[in-house]
Amino acid sequence: GAGTMPATAGGLAVTGAMLFPGGRLEAVGNFWGTRSIGIAAAENARARYNLLSAAVRGCGAPSIAPRAEITACGGIEAGSVLANVDGATLLHGPGQPFVLIELTAGANFLLAPSVALTLDLQGWVSPLRAEHRALDSTLSTGGLFGYRFLAGVEFRFGFRRKARAFERKKGANR
């Protein structure tokens, strides 16, 4: 992705979701890390950035086939971009806050009744952007807009019991 961090980053997210027919509510914890990068504003300085955040999302997730769902989500994410700088002194603490308003589109492919592969594209706008400054120069500023590509494996606990109960109820209404 691009936008929140000053360089391309990889990350790890843990998501808890409450599933219901055609939708879901999600709570997400994120960690994104980046490699050490040079800083144009401060010669001989290098920085390592990490992102820690939490998000909540509401999603529509209709089934388009027996083993596939499309997802459309909206949510908010808040957190901090942490800078560890060598060769320059930050004018403030290492953690700077940010807020993102997210829109996500994707697909879930059920590999088994309780396991799915997820693929998403997330775009966002940031009304509060993290900025790191040293002396009279800005080391990094988060973007106003950005995007992320997300891929993951989803484990659905209790899904089989709920699916069977839903099928029994659906069959009883015929």
Side-chain angles (χ1 to χ4, degrees), residues 58-142:
C59 304
S63 294
I64 58 171
R67 294 188 167 265
E69 302 168 334
I70 56 170
T71 58
C73 305
I76 189 163
E77 180 176 338
S80 181
V81 177
L82 307 167
N84 183 356
V85 179
D86 296 322
T89 302
L90 293 172
L91 289 179
H92 48 69
Q96 292 297 299
F98 71 91
V99 173
L100 307 177
I101 298 169
E102 310 169 344
L103 292 175
T104 306
N108 298 334
F109 303 97
L110 279 81
L111 306 175
S114 59
V115 180
L117 172 66
T118 64
L119 301 171
D120 296 314
L121 173 60
Q122 182 180 81
W124 49 260
V125 62
S126 183
L128 175 62
R129 299 180 286 162
E131 180 178 77
H132 292 93
R133 298 184 56 79
L135 300 176
D136 294 333
S137 61
T138 299
L139 301 180
S140 66
T141 301

Side-chain angles (χ1 to χ4, degrees), residues 48-72:
R48 288 178 306 285
Y49 293 90
N50 296 303
L51 177 146
L52 296 170
S53 68
V56 291
R57 294 185 198 114
C59 304
S63 294
I64 58 171
R67 294 188 167 265
E69 302 168 334
I70 56 170
T71 58

Side-chain angles (χ1 to χ4, degrees), residues 33-47:
T34 186
R35 63 191 183 283
S36 179
I37 60 171
I39 301 170
E43 195 173 319
N44 299 322
R46 298 202 60 79

